Every structure is written in structure tokens, then in C-alpha cells.
Amino acid sequence: MDVSRLIVFVGLAASCTLHLASAQNSFGGPPASPAPPPSKGVSPDTRPGATAASDAERKDFGVVAKSELHDGAMHGPTPVSIPGAQIITTQALVEMRRGANSRVLVFDVLGGPEALPGALAAVPAHRPGSFDDAVQKEFGQYLQQVTQGSKDVPLVFYCQSVQCWMSYNASLRAVKLGYSRVLWYRGGIEAWKQAGQPVQAMHGPMR
């Protein structure tokens, strides 16, 4: 490889590194590709495999729910409940998004290359800390903007699977900010894909 090509390669690598670092330290950015019109929503998958996936997202590991932010490893068994919020299943989320008059905001707290259609990026909200830290303040400003000041808009938070705490923390943060319809999608993108639902590329700084 000649020197000029090496310089270009190094420059591109540095650019990607800076992009990813920025992604993990900010909210927002363009959402994933827009969700399809409600009338054309995909029906819940009722095949045996999909039923097994539904059972998996309800799996009880015997973990006790807590109202404080989880500060341990973000990958690990999660509770089957969450203080101040509700758990939503894949089927319920599909049906909610299909509602003609339903306004629901879905937040990706994982930051992977794929996301639920129309999901908004909110990776920093997974961080441990306190409900009066800088993350909470920035998250509050972000939610204020995307909800247009409405505290009763359904907010759905998801990450990888039933063994991912990232969306649990984000949900707790939203509850503490006064949002009354916080929904923790515990099954995450793993359950979504296992149920045969579509995913789209995540665009913007949170990719």
C-alpha cells in the first residue's frame, strides 16, 4: 500500500471512530426509516416458532424489580416488571402501532445497526447514575422536544432482549421525568425479529 492510500485509510478510520464516539454521547439524530402506514402494518406472527418467542420474552428469571438505575453489567437477566411503567409485548406493540389514531414514540436504546421502523435514538439514556445527573437533564430536554411537551404520549423503550438492562434504565428515567405512559419493551429487537417483524437500518448519529 502506498503512502497516499495509507493516509486515506487512516483518515477514514479516524472519522468512523469519532462518529461512533459521538453517537454514544448524544441523543437524537434522524430516526430509522419511517414506519409503514398503520393500515399496512404486519400482523403478529402466529406460527409455533413465534409463540415460543412470545413465551421467551415473558421469561421470569426471578430478578427483583428496582426503582433505582441499574449500575451493574448491562447484559444479564431482567425483572418481569418495572416500577412506574408497564411491560409491552411484541404482539401488543404491533397492534398499538397499527392503530389508525395511535401516536406512539419508540426509542432505540441499543444503538445497533438495525432498529424498529421509525425508532428514535436514545442510547445515552441507558447510563447508570442518578435522576438528577447531566444525562437526565439532557434526556428530559430531548423528550420535551420529541413529545412536543405532552406527558401522556406512549413512550416505548427497547434494547436487545430480556437480558438487556439498557432500556430498563431509560424507562425509569422517563418515569422520573413525569411521563405517564412509559412502556418497556422487554423482549427488545431480538423478540421483534423472532416474531417476523421488519427492521430497518438505523440512521443518524446514534447508529
Side-chain angles (χ1 to χ4, degrees), residues 110-179:
L110 183 62
E114 296 179 324
L116 273 62
L120 299 168
V123 177
H126 84 274
R127 294 175 183 161
S130 67
F131 296 116
D132 58 1
D133 60 15
V135 172
Q136 187 77 352
K137 180 178 180 180
E138 185 179 356
F139 189 37
Q141 294 171 344
Y142 175 54
L143 291 183
Q144 173 75 15
Q145 177 184 0
V146 297
T147 63
Q148 299 178 348
S150 175
K151 294 286 188 177
D152 60 358
V153 174
L155 308 179
V156 178
F157 296 94
Y158 76 89
C159 51
Q160 182 68 38
S161 67
V162 296
Q163 296 208 41
C164 179
W165 284 89
M166 298 171 77
S167 52
Y168 186 95
N169 278 0
S171 298
L172 284 183
R173 285 186 178 277
V175 168
K176 290 297 183 179
L177 287 166
Y179 290 90

Side-chain angles (χ1 to χ4, degrees), residues 35-95:
S39 61
K40 298 181 181 179
V42 180
S43 299
D45 195 335
T46 57
R47 295 173 299 176
T51 301
S54 178
D55 291 340
E57 65 181 294
R58 295 184 175 90
K59 186 172 182 178
D60 188 349
F61 298 103
V63 178
V64 177
K66 54 186 178 181
S67 57
E68 299 83 17
L69 295 170
H70 179 71
D71 60 1
M74 288 298 153
H75 178 76
T78 58
V80 292
S81 64
I82 180 169
Q86 294 183 334
I87 289 180
I88 188 169
T89 63
T90 301
Q91 181 171 344
L93 180 55
V94 170
E95 292 174 352

